[in-house]
Amino acid sequence: MRKLFSLVCILLISYYASFAQQPQKPTASEIFHNLQKLNFLGSALYIAAHPDDENTRLISYLSNDVKARTAYLSLTRGDGGQNLIGPEIRELLGVIRTQELLVARRTDGGQQFFTRANDFGYSKHPDETLEIWNKEEVLSDVVRAIRKFKPDIIVNRFNHRNPGTTHGHHTASAMLSFEAFDLVSDALKYPETAKDYGTWQPKRLFFNTSWWFYGSRENFEKADKTNLLEVETGSYYPALGLSNGEIASLSRSMHKSQGFGSTGSRGSRIEYLEFLKGDFPENKSNLFDGINTTWSRLDGGAPIGAILLQVEKDFDFRDPSASIPQLLKAYDLIQKLPEGYWKTIKSKEIIDVISDCTGIYLEAVANVQSVAPKGNLKVTVEAINRSSADIKLNSVSSPVINFPTTETSTPLLNNKKHTLESIEGTFSATAYSAPYWLNQKGSLGMYRVEDKNLIGLPEQTHQFPVTFNLSIDGRAISVVKNIVYKFNDPVAGEVYRPFEVLPEVTSGIPEKVLIFANSEAREIPVIITAGRDDVSGTVTLQHPKGWIVSPSQHVFSIANKGQQQTLKFMVQPPKEQNEGVLKPLVHVGDNFYNKELVIIDYDHIPFQSVLMPSEARIVRIDIQKKGQNIGYINGAGDAIPESLKQIGYNVTTILPSEISLENLQKFDAVVVGIRAYNTVPELAFKQTELNSYVNNGGTLLLQYNTSRGMANKSFGPLPLTLSRDRVTNENSDVRILAPNHTVMNSPNKITQNDFKNWVQERGLYFPNEWAPEFTPILGMNDKDYPETKGSLLVAKYGKGYYIYTGLSFFRELPAGVPGAYRLFANLLSIGN
């Protein structure tokens, strides 16, 4: 039975991860678990830099074992990382990783917050990080989060005392937390948030250390642990049927875009926390030692605690509704408390527990997934009481749509469904549904958020709220639900998606970077998508000076919502090298629209609609190439094949099963995608064929891999050793080490100009040792760091060429960097 219950819990967690918009339907065990949390008045805030930095084991322990109100403050949304599940990078990757964090928190029981900091990519020093981020703004956001959440304890993931030894974002997150600890109690520091949320002083600050931070397990064993707390986090939760390690691994595995799938663990596990500031606890195994976390923490709270402890003791797993009378007594006492933080928090929590005990099901479902502002919408609400409790529906209200009103309440009888439909033509919402932090253009290091009430939130919640005004045994209780959309899928069954307000028309150019390798005109399609029925207007294509676009405008007319119309413009580039942006501008009546609708649809996160500026980068490049047919072996996912097609190559995807000498010989060059040896296990058995291809005269170009988790350590015909060397400054100086080498001269002459205007970085995970057959082509370094020479290595092998590069072509080509295209074309041409 225990195994079956554990399986059910795992399935439920997976189900909620996939359909996160669906109303929760807690089991009796989960209700009891939440009841236990209701009896703990303490909070903890975990702080780090990125999604996937958090220690899910400790967050789960704090939330599920200690029962503390627990949150993770990630300073960024992980926009600068790589994506192992799809092509999305930068802002779109940030949307994915935001949602992955939310699913992770729904799994481990925590909450999620952010600052406005933009993950601009790897940084070697916190000084650089804080300069690009705007330290004062990010620090103010950290102070805001602490004052708003009011944690008793704060835990840093990283060490604030070792700048320059790890990712600058990591160290910066700890430094900002360390500084904020002393600022949040001073009303003169960031007075706006002090006014909005009050001042606050956490009791203590910790650093979540481990042997890794000491360099080795041996060093850690020898270290003075006087200032360390040891916390047992290997608990098993009978009410959930899972160990803490199993919950932590399920949470960790939600970071799928980063490839952080994790195997569940059982048994004892110690976490170490170094005390940094505040009151040192006498009991070194209790992070909350000396902090009153009972209801007696509040004036008048002791009687509430007594009632709730008895409810917990008498809880009937067969009939949770038996607890309702006592829960309502506790609810009445909570409402009599003075206004304050814990009253607000616990009022919501006890309403949730009471609602769960009644088994009441409340839902507001739209008849369409999206509408244009003030569009035609019908919302059907459903209310059903699945207990013997005396529940009445007094009214249903919403600020965005009207519902019929009645003078009398509607009794919700046991297991009898009650429905109500909205009044036609009353939907009034006008704001678009899109990630709020993308609404305005920010800077390299900061997102711009005009509405201060949104700062720190993972997403805009309850944008379309519907309030169910109930009475439960005579107590007036309101429950707010957001409007959702659902449909039946023939395979998946009932599927939930967020309801959204989107523009009446959007536009997009399919190719985001358009490379013109010569001065010939090209036909460029613009796709218009209707957001409502019967929409018509005109489209113009804004373009940079020197480019010619015809016709000057197109007329379009679309009858049905969701339908598309493709309009084609001829674009003539200038003869000389030039670059700029094409921007479709759609006119409908007196309004104009310049947004593209991007859909993100993965099984492990909720369906996302993202509105991005509708534009495409256009680049006229003076480029030559030799050879025509390129084979591409996909790795972790990138857009390089599409980029190569832009300059006239025929690119064929090669499946691992298709790697044979016979199949490879038809290609002028074979390119292996980023991190392929980390993500494609079959390559461990195909290296002999790849080596033979090179030996027979082929060109094999391998892009960057990481040394950790490689499918095959010998990933080429000649040995080389990968390191963690990288050059993060995209404007760093580049020294041409082999100016007479073919790849620097043919068919394009590569000069210093070709290394201008690169994006995010030069490259990463360069080799630091290699066979003597290799020629290092480029030398580069970040400021105050030694020169690295492993960014581009070329070797003659047999009749062919073996090339290994850590240069970030996967970023530069999709961004339309001319010099990167010219250099890549030279690499592909070397054997021709």
Side-chain angles (χ1 to χ4, degrees):
M1 177 62 72
R2 178 175 292 175
K3 290 182 179 178
L4 176 61
F5 183 67
S6 297
L7 176 61
V8 169
C9 285
I10 292 172
L11 289 174
L12 281 173
I13 290 172
S14 300
Y15 185 77
Y16 290 139
S18 299
F19 304 102
Q21 302 298 320
Q22 183 160 358
Q24 294 188 6
K25 305 165 188 175
T27 65
S29 294
E30 290 168 326
I31 295 172
F32 180 72
H33 190 65
N34 292 333
L35 177 60
Q36 291 178 307
K37 290 186 176 183
L38 186 59
N39 272 323
F40 191 92
L41 279 71
S43 54
L45 182 64
Y46 200 91
I47 298 180
H50 311 105
D52 72 42
D53 282 345
E54 81 275 25
N55 184 341
T56 56
R57 183 178 289 104
L58 188 59
I59 289 176
S60 177
Y61 163 78
L62 289 166
S63 177
N64 298 304
D65 193 322
V66 178
K67 307 296 189 300
R69 190 165 180 260
T70 308
Y72 173 42
L73 173 60
S74 176
L75 268 59
T76 77
R77 297 176 184 268
D79 328 73
Q82 285 87 51
N83 183 2
L84 299 188
I85 61 173
E88 298 88 355
I89 58 175
R90 294 302 308 152
E91 295 90 349
L92 296 179
L93 178 58
V95 173
I96 291 173
R97 299 189 73 185
T98 294
Q99 292 300 320
E100 287 179 336
L101 269 181
L102 286 172
V103 177
R105 297 293 79 78
R106 283 189 282 269
T107 304
D108 59 35
Q111 298 181 51
Q112 185 62 51
F113 302 115
F114 294 95
T115 73
R116 290 169 290 173
N118 190 341
D119 178 6
F120 56 84
Y122 193 88
S123 173
K124 290 184 175 179
H125 201 282
D127 289 350
E128 176 198 37
T129 299
L130 295 174
E131 181 180 351
I132 294 175
W133 272 355
N134 186 328
K135 177 189 174 182
E136 280 303 305
E137 289 189 2
V138 181
L139 180 58
S140 74
D141 288 356
V142 176
V143 169
R144 174 188 295 270
I146 296 172
R147 285 173 172 169
K148 187 176 181 180
F149 189 69
K150 300 189 180 346
D152 296 302
I153 64 172
I154 296 176
V155 181
N156 292 344
R157 166 75 281 189
F158 299 107
N159 190 351
H160 68 284
R161 296 160 296 201
N162 59 351
T165 62
T166 184
H167 196 324
H169 297 184
H170 292 170
T171 310
S173 71
M175 293 170 64
L176 292 171
S177 173
F178 191 84
E179 185 173 351
F181 187 89
D182 296 325
L183 297 178
V184 291
S185 61
D186 186 348
L188 298 179
K189 304 295 185 181
Y190 305 104
E192 184 179 25
T193 56
K195 179 181 178 182
D196 291 341
Y197 306 110
T199 58
W200 181 251
Q201 183 55 62
K203 297 296 182 182
R204 52 191 66 124
L205 174 67
F206 298 103
F207 160 41
N208 184 194
T209 190
S210 70
W211 68 264
W212 187 87
F213 290 96
Y214 288 76
S216 69
R217 295 183 186 276
E218 291 74 19
N219 290 343
F220 183 64
E221 289 299 323
K222 299 174 185 176
D224 180 8
K225 297 183 178 61
T226 305
N227 220 29
L228 296 188
L229 279 69
E230 299 183 14
V231 179
E232 171 61 65
T233 63
S235 308
Y236 172 71
Y237 309 122
L240 300 179
L242 295 167
S243 71
N244 192 68
E246 288 170 324
I247 293 175
S249 69
L250 289 169
S251 174
R252 185 74 172 166
S253 296
M254 294 306 169
H255 296 297
K256 299 185 187 301
S257 65
Q258 302 303 293
F260 282 143
S262 175
T263 300
S265 64
R266 290 147 292 280
S268 176
R269 177 62 181 260
I270 302 297
E271 286 290 336
Y272 295 90
L273 292 100
E274 179 186 353
F275 173 80
L276 298 178
K277 283 185 179 182
D279 302 327
F280 192 88
E282 293 184 11
N283 181 355
K284 293 177 65 176
S285 64
N286 180 6
L287 302 181
F288 284 88
D289 182 55
I291 301 172
N292 187 357
T293 58
T294 71
W295 278 95
S296 64
R297 177 175 190 159
L298 308 180
D299 290 338
I304 301 170
I307 294 173
L308 292 177
L309 286 173
Q310 192 64 41
V311 171
E312 187 177 326
K313 180 180 178 181
D314 297 338
F315 187 78
D316 187 347
F317 287 84
R318 294 168 300 178
D319 182 17
S321 66
S323 299
I324 293 175
Q326 292 302 309
L327 286 170
L328 288 171
K329 287 184 179 179
Y331 172 80
D332 291 339
L333 293 176
I334 292 174
Q335 303 318 299
K336 295 178 182 178
L337 294 173
E339 295 301 321
Y341 174 77
W342 281 112
K343 176 182 178 180
T344 301
I345 297 301
K346 293 302 176 181
S347 291
K348 182 183 184 306
E349 287 183 3
I350 198 169
I351 287 174
D352 290 341
V353 172
I354 292 170
S355 298
D356 292 342
C357 285
T358 68
I360 194 167
Y361 185 85
L362 304 170
E363 188 175 64
V365 179
N367 65 326
V368 291
Q369 184 184 344
S370 66
V371 295
K374 297 184 179 180
N376 187 22
L377 178 68
K378 181 176 74 174
V379 176
T380 302
V381 300
E382 176 184 337
I384 181 169
N385 171 20
R386 293 176 287 187
S387 73
S388 58
D390 177 18
I391 303 179
K392 295 182 176 63
L393 179 62
N394 298 325
S395 64
V396 178
S397 60
S398 172
V400 297
I401 197 165
N402 296 339
F403 291 91
T405 57
T406 59
E407 295 182 0
T408 59
S409 300
T410 302
L412 298 180
L413 304 178
N414 185 12
N415 218 28
K416 301 292 184 182
K417 181 167 67 174
H418 175 73
T419 60
L420 184 68
E421 290 187 354
S422 62
I423 299 173
E424 185 176 357
T426 60
F427 184 68
S428 59
T430 58
Y432 295 145
S433 306
Y436 72 84
W437 63 94
L438 298 178
N439 285 341
Q440 287 94 25
K441 184 175 178 61
S443 64
L444 172 63
M446 297 295 296
Y447 282 117
R448 179 181 171 192
V449 180
E450 295 292 339
D451 186 349
K452 66 178 183 179
N453 295 316
L454 294 176
I455 295 174
L457 296 180
E459 60 183 347
Q460 191 168 355
T461 56
H462 284 166
Q463 189 175 3
F464 311 108
V466 173
T467 301
F468 293 79
N469 299 301
L470 308 169
S471 63
I472 302 178
D473 283 353
R475 276 79 164 185
I477 291 177
S478 295
V479 178
V480 179
K481 299 288 183 178
N482 209 37
I483 298 174
V484 296
Y485 172 73
K486 65 179 179 180
F487 64 95
N488 184 73
D489 182 271
V491 175
E494 187 178 56
V495 175
Y496 278 75
R497 287 184 176 175
F499 165 73
E500 299 165 319
V501 172
L502 299 172
E504 61 177 343
V505 64
T506 54
S507 64
I509 300 174
E511 295 289 345
K512 300 308 169 194
V513 176
L514 300 165
I515 305 298
F516 291 75
N518 52 50
S519 58
E520 295 179 5
R522 286 171 54 185
E523 192 175 66
I524 304 300
V526 175
I527 300 174
I528 307 300
T529 304
R532 64 169 174 84
D533 292 340
D534 191 23
V535 60
S536 60
T538 60
V539 182
T540 57
L541 195 57
Q542 296 180 327
H543 57 277
K545 185 177 180 181
W547 296 71
I548 301 172
V549 173
S550 62
S552 59
Q553 72 173 27
H554 273 294
V555 176
F556 74 94
S557 180
I558 304 177
N560 299 314
K561 175 185 173 182
Q563 287 187 329
Q564 295 182 331
Q565 185 173 343
T566 300
L567 309 173
K568 297 180 179 179
F569 292 86
M570 291 300 297
V571 177
Q572 174 79 51
K575 293 183 179 181
E576 64 282 355
Q577 184 164 310
N578 191 288
E579 52 193 289
V581 177
L582 289 179
K583 296 182 179 182
L585 191 62
V586 184
H587 294 261
V588 178
D590 295 331
N591 301 317
F592 71 89
Y593 300 90
N594 58 1
K595 295 292 186 181
E596 178 180 10
L597 177 62
V598 180
I599 299 300
I600 299 177
D601 189 10
Y602 291 102
D603 288 343
H604 68 296
I605 60 174
F607 183 93
Q608 298 292 301
S609 296
V610 185
L611 293 173
M612 298 291 290
S614 181
E615 60 185 33
R617 182 172 168 79
I618 49 174
V619 183
R620 168 70 172 96
I621 302 178
D622 180 16
I623 188 170
Q624 304 295 322
K625 60 186 179 64
K626 297 178 182 179
Q628 188 66 29
N629 297 313
I630 306 298
Y632 203 90
I633 301 171
N634 286 325
D638 57 59
I640 285 183
E642 293 78 8
S643 299
L644 296 180
K645 292 175 184 178
Q646 289 268 358
I647 56 174
Y649 282 108
N650 296 325
V651 183
T652 302
T653 299
I654 306 173
L655 299 176
S657 60
E658 299 171 344
I659 298 175
S660 67
L661 181 58
E662 181 182 359
N663 287 339
L664 296 177
Q665 285 180 330
K666 61 187 178 183
F667 297 111
D668 298 307
V670 172
V671 181
V672 181
I674 62 172
R675 294 178 68 172
Y677 285 86
N678 301 119
T679 59
V680 184
E682 294 90 340
L683 288 180
F685 311 106
K686 295 293 184 178
Q687 194 61 52
T688 300
E689 286 85 349
L690 291 169
N691 294 347
S692 296
Y693 164 72
V694 179
N695 190 54
N696 286 354
T699 297
L700 179 65
L701 194 163
L702 271 62
Q703 298 178 86
Y704 94 93
N705 292 270
T706 66
S707 58
R708 183 178 178 182
M710 296 199 68
N712 184 6
K713 295 292 184 182
S714 300
F715 51 96
L718 298 169
L720 54 77
T721 302
L722 299 181
S723 74
R724 297 186 66 83
D725 291 346
R726 62 201 302 164
V727 175
T728 62
N729 184 350
E730 63 271 28
N731 298 311
S732 62
D733 291 336
V734 175
R735 188 162 67 95
I736 299 176
L737 303 175
N740 297 322
H741 198 282
T742 303
V743 297
M744 289 289 102
N745 294 279
S746 176
N748 304 288
K749 176 65 176 177
I750 303 300
T751 69
Q752 289 294 335
N753 285 334
D754 291 298
F755 297 98
K756 293 180 179 179
N757 300 318
W758 283 45
V759 298
Q760 189 161 326
E761 62 196 354
R762 289 294 188 195
L764 62 172
Y765 301 113
F766 300 155
N768 61 354
E769 296 179 7
W770 49 82
E773 291 85 349
F774 282 107
T775 299
I777 304 298
L778 302 173
M780 58 185 66
N781 61 281
D782 284 316
K783 183 181 178 181
D784 298 328
Y785 284 83
E787 183 180 59
T788 64
K789 299 181 179 181
S791 63
L792 179 58
L793 303 173
V794 181
K796 190 84 167 89
Y797 179 77
K799 298 179 181 179
Y801 290 89
Y802 172 42
I803 302 170
Y804 189 92
T805 180
L807 293 172
S808 59
F809 287 112
F810 72 101
R811 296 193 192 280
E812 311 311 321
L813 299 192
V817 176
Y821 271 93
R822 287 162 47 83
L823 178 55
F824 207 90
N826 280 14
L827 297 176
L828 297 180
S829 302
I830 189 172
N832 294 282

